[in-house]
């Protein structure tokens, strides 16, 4: 890739830092050097080099960026289409329910203000749990307090 | 359960038939359950996405401020040596268009781990993205197809339209979501940690019974199924071997191999592609 061909040359910020470190402190032992290092890290602000691309390299970069944006748009459109289909199915089902049974429809449109999501509902991770899926789940047994008579 | 014991409180009301199926204009109302296991891992990057990430990484590195290594690493320490090896690998990878920075560092890190005994002892075990169930193609396992959504389908003991989502008739005093929970427990057992998303159905499907069925069970000429959405977090399906004889966890793509084309067309828009 022609963009990264000039990696032999050091970046501006790297040159700056080398210049700052260059006058080797002959005086101090390790103590002086540490102070210098800390001072440098705290107070120096090496400039971040903005690469000025020209000509073919610029065209390549811009094409890559446009392709990425196009890809993102396509992904977003795909996701929105899927959601729209799901919503339409839900609308149609509710309309059908309204026509079918008034009692069931009224029960379906009830919305509790205290709806929460369960804690077990987790988002995808990069790797799965080493134990895998718990196929041996059994529901917890409710402890009924014994009645004293 | 409270619902079943509630007839004691209804002693002053007129007698209610709790077990009669709900029929409206010759259609039996049923509630079906779309039980899904959501994706457990992030999806694989496409080759284009991977190439773009590698490109961005290298572009960032070229204009980035280098790390003040003398501040972060003690001179002559093991950590400094390892970091210098990583940096050398990264510098080499910058000139190589085929190799990404993260790939280059992975190789050196493997070498570092092999050399050092203590890191081997403290090795952190991660699960593999491709599970055993994937390799065996075990259709009943919930460890399969970790990047996709798996849906539960059950097999009824008949020839035609055997496979479908679990469903059952709504009874006369019941609501849709109650019927769905009850039917799922009856047909698929109680050994699943299930959460129903709400009271609204996510889809419906109306169909007519075949003539011999109408002759055997008069009262309704067809059924309207309203599907309720649910998630499973643990456990496995235990078919009751009366209404349901078999089960499978399939992705949306595999569903047409099991259910009839009309059924798939009716349900496909409710399901997630990924």
């Amino acid at each position: 890739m022609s963009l990264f061909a000039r990696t032999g040359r050091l970046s501006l910020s790297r040159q700056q830092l080398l210049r700052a470190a260059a006058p080797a402190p002959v005086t101090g032992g390790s103590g002086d050097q540490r102070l210098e290092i800390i001072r440098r890290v705290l107070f120096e602000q090496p400039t971040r080099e903005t690469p000025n691309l020209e000509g073919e390299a610029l065209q390549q970069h811009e094409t890559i960026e446009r392709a990425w944006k196009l890809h993102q748009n396509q992904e977003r459109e795909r996701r929105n289409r899927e959601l729209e289909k799901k919503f339409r199915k839900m609308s149609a089902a509710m309309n059908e329910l309204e026509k079918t049974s008034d009692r069931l429809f009224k029960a379906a449109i009830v919305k509790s203000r205290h709806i929460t999501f369960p804690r077990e509902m987790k988002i995808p991770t990069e790797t799965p749990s080493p134990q895998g899926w718990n196929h041996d789940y059994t529901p917890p047994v409710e402890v009924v307090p014994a009645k004293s008579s | 359960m409270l619902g079943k014991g509630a007839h004691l409180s209804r002693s002053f009301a007129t007698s209610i038939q709790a077990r009669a199926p709900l029929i409206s204009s010759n259609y039996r109302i049923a509630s079906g359950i779309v039980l899904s296991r959501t994706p457990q891992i992030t999806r694989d990057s496409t080759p284009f996405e991977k190439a773009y990430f590698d490109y961005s990484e290298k572009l960032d590195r070229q204009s980035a401020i280098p790390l003040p290594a003398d501040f972060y690493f003690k001179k002559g320490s093991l950590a400094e040596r390892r970091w210098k090896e990583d940096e050398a690998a990264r510098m080499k990878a910058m000139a190589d268009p085929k190799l990404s920075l993260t790939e280059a560092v992975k190789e050196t890190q493997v070498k570092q781990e092999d050399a050092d005994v203590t890191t081997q002892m403290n090795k952190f075990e991660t699960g593999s993205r491709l599970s055993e169930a994937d390799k065996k193609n075990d259709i009943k396992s919930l460890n399969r197809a970790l990047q996709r959504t798996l849906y539960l389908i059950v097999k009824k003991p008949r020839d035609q339209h055997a496979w479908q989502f679990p469903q059952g008739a709504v009874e006369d005093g019941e609501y849709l979501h109650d019927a769905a929970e009850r039917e799922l427990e009856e047909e698929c057992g109680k050994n699943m940690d299930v959460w129903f998303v709400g009271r609204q159905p996510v889809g419906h499907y109306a169909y007519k019974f075949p003539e011999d069925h109408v002759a055997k069970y008069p009262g309704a000429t067809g059924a309207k199924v309203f599907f309720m959405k649910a998630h499973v977090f643990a456990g496995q399906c235990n078919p009751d071997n009366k209404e349901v004889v078999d089960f499978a966890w399939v992705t949306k793509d595999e569903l047409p191999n099991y259910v009839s084309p009309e059924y798939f067309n009716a349900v496909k828009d409710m399901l997630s592609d990924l």
Side-chain angles (χ1 to χ4, degrees):
Chain A
M1 228 188 282
S2 59
L3 267 156
F4 303 123
R6 296 177 282 132
T7 49
R9 278 203 267 137
L10 295 167
S11 63
L12 275 174
S13 39
R14 203 174 271 281
Q15 287 176 29
Q16 267 180 352
L17 288 169
L18 278 177
R19 247 181 276 125
V26 188
T27 53
S30 50
D32 274 350
Q33 283 181 356
R34 285 194 302 186
L35 277 176
E36 281 303 313
I37 291 166
I38 292 167
R39 199 171 287 138
R40 180 165 43 91
V41 167
L42 283 176
F43 298 115
E44 246 192 33
Q45 283 172 342
T47 50
R48 198 181 149 96
E49 168 185 300
T50 48
N52 285 329
L53 297 168
E54 276 125 24
E56 196 193 328
L58 180 65
Q59 276 182 354
Q60 284 181 346
H61 176 73
E62 289 198 338
T63 312
I64 291 169
E65 290 295 321
R66 280 183 62 193
W68 179 248
K69 287 195 173 73
L70 182 67
H71 176 71
Q72 295 286 76
N73 283 343
Q74 285 170 347
E75 284 294 296
R76 192 176 357 110
E77 286 304 306
R78 191 183 51 77
R79 242 178 287 132
N80 286 344
R81 269 198 301 272
E82 191 186 304
L83 284 173
E84 200 181 331
K85 279 187 212 162
K86 284 183 178 170
F87 179 77
R88 285 212 194 118
K89 280 298 277 186
M90 199 160 155
S91 275
M94 287 303 278
N95 283 334
E96 186 64 36
L97 189 62
E98 191 174 16
K99 282 186 239 161
T100 314
S101 161
D102 197 43
R103 180 184 69 94
L104 290 179
F105 178 73
K106 288 213 170 84
I109 57 177
V110 165
K111 267 213 157 100
S112 165
R113 282 169 198 275
H114 310 292
I115 281 179
T116 48
F117 283 83
R119 239 213 232 133
E120 296 86 358
M121 196 163 187
K122 59 182 188 106
I123 60 171
T125 48
E126 194 148 325
T127 50
S129 148
Q131 286 82 43
W133 187 267
N134 177 17
H135 289 95
D136 303 319
Y137 169 85
T138 45
V141 183
E142 272 183 49
V143 179
V144 181
K147 281 190 191 154
S148 57
S149 50
Chain B
M1 303 306 266
L2 189 61
K4 302 239 162 50
H7 67 273
L8 291 168
S9 65
R10 287 199 213 140
S11 52
F12 297 118
T14 51
S15 64
I16 298 163
Q17 293 162 303
R19 278 307 199 164
L22 185 62
I23 298 177
S24 156
S25 63
N26 272 335
Y27 278 102
R28 186 175 304 147
I29 314 283
S31 78
I33 301 106
V34 176
L35 185 59
S36 58
R37 187 227 65 189
T38 52
Q40 301 289 289
I41 56 176
T42 51
R43 67 167 172 84
D44 284 329
S45 303
T46 62
F48 171 63
E49 284 170 349
K50 198 172 176 309
Y52 182 76
F53 295 147
D54 295 344
Y55 172 76
S56 301
E57 221 177 9
K58 290 189 174 173
L59 196 63
D60 261 353
R61 184 178 168 79
Q62 194 159 54
S63 64
I65 301 161
L67 186 83
D70 47 0
F71 177 78
Y72 285 105
F73 297 110
K74 192 174 159 104
K75 198 167 167 186
S77 66
L78 178 65
E80 192 196 28
R81 202 178 339 131
R82 284 190 173 165
W83 183 80
K84 280 195 175 150
E85 282 172 12
D86 288 349
E87 277 295 289
R90 285 192 201 108
M91 295 279 268
K92 243 180 67 176
M94 286 295 278
D96 182 358
K98 293 265 183 302
L99 191 58
S100 77
L101 295 179
T102 32
E103 292 285 303
V105 167
K106 267 188 202 149
E107 291 171 21
T108 53
Q109 280 182 351
V110 166
K111 281 194 214 135
Q112 286 163 5
E113 269 175 26
D114 283 340
D116 186 16
V117 181
T118 44
T119 48
Q120 280 181 17
M121 276 168 25
N122 301 332
K123 210 171 165 77
F124 182 73
E125 289 290 330
T126 52
S128 161
R129 281 172 70 91
L130 201 68
S131 65
E132 278 296 317
D134 277 315
K135 292 172 198 159
K136 287 186 219 159
N137 207 19
D138 180 8
I139 215 86
K140 291 186 160 55
S141 168
L142 280 147
N143 280 320
R144 198 175 67 92
L146 291 167
Q147 300 174 28
R148 311 283 308 278
T149 312
L150 288 180
Y151 294 99
L152 177 68
I153 47 170
V154 290
K155 185 173 185 186
K156 295 228 146 142
R158 56 181 179 223
D159 299 320
Q160 291 258 324
H161 308 288
W163 289 95
Q164 59 178 70
F165 289 124
Q167 74 178 55
V170 177
E171 285 160 11
D172 224 338
E174 254 185 342
Y175 296 135
L176 276 179
H177 60 283
D178 293 323
E181 281 182 36
R182 181 183 51 78
E183 281 299 325
L184 191 64
E185 276 194 1
E186 281 175 13
E187 290 188 2
C188 302
K190 296 188 182 179
N191 291 343
M192 283 197 289
D193 187 3
V194 172
W195 178 66
F196 279 85
V197 178
R199 290 163 163 247
Q200 279 97 6
V202 287
H204 75 287
Y205 176 46
Y207 60 95
K208 294 239 184 268
F209 295 139
E211 280 153 15
D212 52 347
H213 191 274
V214 180
K216 266 207 301 184
Y217 306 106
T221 50
K224 275 188 196 166
V225 195
F226 290 96
F227 294 101
M228 308 302 289
K229 188 170 174 157
H231 292 287
V232 63
F233 302 124
Q236 180 62 291
C237 168
N238 295 337
D240 65 352
N241 288 324
K242 277 178 270 167
E243 285 179 49
V244 153
V245 291
D246 200 9
F247 71 96
W249 291 95
V250 293
T251 63
K252 183 179 173 179
D253 294 336
E254 293 159 1
L255 200 56
N257 300 335
Y258 291 83
V259 301
S260 66
E262 313 87 58
Y263 192 82
F264 181 71
N265 276 329
V267 303
K268 67 177 191 249
D269 286 342
M270 295 190 292
L271 311 179
S272 303
D273 282 326
L274 192 64

